[in-house]
Amino acid sequence: MTAEPTPGEPTPTESGEPFPEAVGGGTFTTAALAAVVAASMIGAGVWTTSGYTLEALGTPGRVMLVWALGGALALCGAAAYGGLAERVRGSGGEYLFLAETLHPLAGFLAGWVSLLAGFTGAAAFAGLTLEEYLWPDRPDEVPAGLLAAAAVLLCGALHALTPRGGTRTQTVVVAVKLALIAAFCLYAGDRWLRGYFVNWDAFPREPPAEAPAGWALIAALAGQLVWVSASYSGFNAAVYVAGEARDPGRSVPRAMLWATAAVTVLYLMLNAVFVFAPPRDRVAGAGDVAAVAAEFLGGNRLELAVRAVISVGLLTSLSALVQTGPRVYAKMAADGLFPLPSLFRLREDGSAPPSAVVLQAVLIAGLCVGGATIRGLLDYLGLTLSLSAAGAVACLFLLKRRGEPVPAWRLACGGIFVLATVGLAIVKLLNPPPWFHPLGPPAGLAATVVSGAVLYWLFVSRRSGPL
């Protein structure tokens, strides 16, 4: 097993030695890494968010603007994460970046956020959306979240028992999913060319009377962009398995940029169909906008087919989150900052141990059946994940200050990402929408950080080491 550096020790970059992960082959090729990124990104958000966004903003054009801005922000984030992956290599994501460049406490907090929000919350969101699309007529006597929990446990069993087989299976399924989504977009494009939807003469040129304007519109755009950013949050998924990548200094940055660009184009195509095809009153506020659009375009048969495609897509998203998350906890265990470190250490081939995969799956399944709601998870994830990613990207400037050769274009992208992310969070908190409870996501973020700091203190105290 490759020895893992403890937080506070010089990293291979600082000591001038090569990274052990950079030598030899690995499980993840560039294509496999791109599949992980695409599977993590194309989760629940794109199939649910636009109905709420149209309700909040008033016009389809504004919805498309938000998705375009979200894609540009994600591309900036992917470029900045690529710079981090070039200089600080290994599995662990934000935990590794912050622990190695700032302080072990910062890294631990990022890992704790990943455990509660980045993987557990995001996967529960995907699981609940999967249940809504796959079983829209669930009987009241059947507990909510039961089907979602079963899907999560199935993915956990796959990756715990056959980690390499799970990787190959996921790559194939992601390719099929992208092909099916592209086919749906082409079908919608054909219907548009034939004049089956988007009657521009009847389309409202002015926003409805209840739509926001002035500063209220700016605040609403910021709030919706935070939501949409959650749909793009998987752009950095490759860094969580970088320790198992082939030539990680090249493959990880490329996979993130290529996959993020492809998914951005796909998102814009999908949302154009969602918000322009059906009448506004049928889409605004709907949590299953894709099914609504499909039913409008092709009747019940197309709606059922689209529900099936989305279900496959959400299943691969669940699989990706269950696959990548345990690498973070295994890295934390290797550094002595996780319970029962001997039980959660990485396998000799660099993959996560079954115990970490099972823990991840159980936490997600528990959240699915514990009463979590899609809208509540959207608020919590949008705020928490964006700020955590901004903290990690800020490490790029610390590396530059220490003399690391970070390209100027990556620094520029990182600066845009950090400033935009923090600014959007502030605007949303100062101007919350009606459903946004002030003791909701902000309190959840605060509880996450405080509980993580307490746990870090307990772990360090147990090791009798300095804080």
Side-chain angles (χ1 to χ4, degrees), residues 37-440:
V37 173
S40 299
M41 292 180 72
I42 309 175
V46 69
W47 312 118
T48 59
T49 304
S50 289
Y52 302 134
T53 302
L54 182 59
E55 181 182 42
L57 299 180
T59 67
R62 293 173 179 178
V63 176
M64 295 302 298
L65 173 63
V66 167
W67 280 98
L69 291 174
L73 199 57
L75 284 168
C76 287
Y81 266 81
L84 289 169
E86 288 175 346
R87 308 312 309 166
V88 185
R89 298 182 193 170
S91 298
E94 290 86 0
Y95 165 73
L96 177 67
F97 298 151
L98 286 162
E100 295 286 356
T101 60
L102 185 58
H103 190 276
L105 171 59
F108 181 83
L109 291 177
W112 187 238
V113 167
S114 294
L115 176 64
L116 297 183
F119 297 104
T120 304
F125 177 35
L128 292 172
T129 306
L130 168 66
E131 182 173 279
E132 181 171 328
Y133 270 96
L134 196 59
W135 201 2
D137 300 321
R138 176 182 56 83
D140 293 337
E141 58 270 19
V142 178
L146 195 62
L147 180 62
V152 169
L153 295 176
L154 175 64
C155 293
L158 174 66
H159 289 294
L161 298 175
T162 59
R164 290 183 180 272
T167 298
R168 289 191 293 267
T169 300
Q170 176 158 286
T171 302
V172 173
V173 174
V174 168
V176 173
K177 174 179 73 172
L178 293 176
L180 290 174
I181 293 174
F184 171 70
C185 292
L186 290 173
Y187 174 80
D190 176 70
R191 301 282 286 182
W192 174 73
L193 290 174
R194 294 173 183 268
Y196 282 94
F197 70 89
V198 190
N199 182 0
W200 294 108
D201 293 333
F203 204 82
R205 298 180 184 275
E206 297 294 333
E210 67 274 13
W215 173 253
L217 175 59
I218 295 175
L221 286 169
Q224 295 306 308
L225 189 49
V226 171
W227 266 22
V228 166
S229 294
S231 302
Y232 283 102
S233 60
F235 71 82
N236 57 358
V239 300
Y240 300 112
V241 294
E244 301 164 65
R246 299 178 188 175
D247 191 10
R250 292 168 58 87
S251 60
V252 172
R254 288 181 176 182
M256 288 191 291
L257 271 178
W258 293 351
T260 302
V263 170
T264 298
V265 173
L266 202 60
Y267 275 2
L268 293 174
M269 293 169 62
L270 282 171
N271 281 283
V273 176
F274 297 162
V275 298
F276 284 114
R280 179 188 178 280
D281 57 353
R282 292 182 59 181
V283 178
D288 56 349
V289 288
V292 172
E295 193 275 335
F296 180 80
L297 287 172
N300 291 333
R301 288 186 178 181
L302 182 60
E303 179 190 356
L304 291 175
V306 167
R307 285 186 182 274
V309 171
I310 292 172
S311 298
V312 171
L314 291 169
L315 196 59
T316 62
S317 181
L318 275 176
S319 175
L321 291 165
V322 173
Q323 178 188 48
T324 54
R327 269 71 172 181
V328 179
Y329 323 138
K331 175 68 174 123
M332 294 170 70
D335 293 340
L337 295 175
F338 206 79
L340 304 174
S342 60
L343 185 63
F344 289 101
R345 288 184 183 273
L346 291 168
R347 291 167 166 169
E348 292 194 9
D349 63 356
S351 61
S355 53
V357 177
V358 170
L359 171 65
Q360 178 71 90
V362 169
L363 288 174
I364 299 168
L367 189 56
C368 287
V369 298
T373 64
I374 290 177
R375 204 164 200 170
L377 286 171
L378 261 176
D379 277 329
Y380 174 65
L381 294 174
L383 185 65
T384 305
L385 295 184
S386 60
L387 291 178
S388 177
V393 169
C395 294
L396 201 62
F397 299 93
L398 293 177
L399 292 174
K400 180 65 176 179
R401 186 175 181 181
R402 294 173 186 174
E404 296 283 353
V406 181
W409 70 275
R410 291 195 186 275
L411 287 172
C413 289
I416 294 172
F417 183 83
V418 172
L419 292 175
T421 299
V422 175
L424 290 170
I426 292 173
V427 172
K428 178 164 185 175
L429 291 176
L430 293 177
N431 301 271
W435 64 84
F436 190 90
H437 195 283
L439 297 180

